[in-house]
Amino acid sequence: DHGSFVVFNVYAKHIDRQSLPSEVSKKLAFLQALGKRMDACVALGKRVVLAGDLNLTLRPQDTKVTRRLLYIDSDGYVRGRMSFPCE
């Protein structure tokens, strides 16, 4: 907690088709609890920064650079996506 904002630096285990159902359930419960905690911070008037490795994407084609970079304005709000000439 940094006063006006909170940083969550998270690592979530990779889950794939071979993972046990109990591992999938644990990860989903963790992500739901994280979401609730982040919502609680927002309800307190704090800005929330989520960083880390959530291991949510399984395929490389699901992650374009322009989907990972967001433009944040001076007020701390997302205003658009950054784009690169190569895409």
Side-chain angles (χ1 to χ4, degrees):
D1 190 331
H2 296 276
S4 64
F5 69 97
V6 178
V7 177
F8 289 89
N9 187 6
V10 176
Y11 172 80
K13 182 180 176 182
H14 172 74
I15 300 293
D16 60 22
R17 291 182 181 97
Q18 287 77 38
S19 298
L20 297 173
S22 61
E23 292 175 311
V24 175
S25 294
K26 285 180 189 177
K27 182 168 183 175
L28 289 176
F30 170 77
L31 293 173
Q32 289 170 341
L34 174 63
K36 287 180 182 179
R37 184 67 183 120
M38 291 170 64
D39 289 343
C41 290
V42 170
L44 293 172
K46 296 182 182 278
R47 294 203 172 133
V48 174
V49 177
L50 175 60
D53 184 357
L54 296 174
N55 278 307
L56 296 177
T57 302
L58 187 57
R59 302 176 311 164
Q61 59 267 36
D62 292 335
T63 57
K64 284 187 165 184
V65 172
T66 55
R67 291 185 183 165
R68 294 189 307 237
L69 298 176
L70 300 174
Y71 171 73
I72 310 297
D73 70 11
S74 60
D75 294 324
Y77 295 100
V78 174
R79 295 294 182 207
R81 297 183 186 276
M82 296 178 71
S83 59
F84 296 88
C86 60
E87 291 196 328

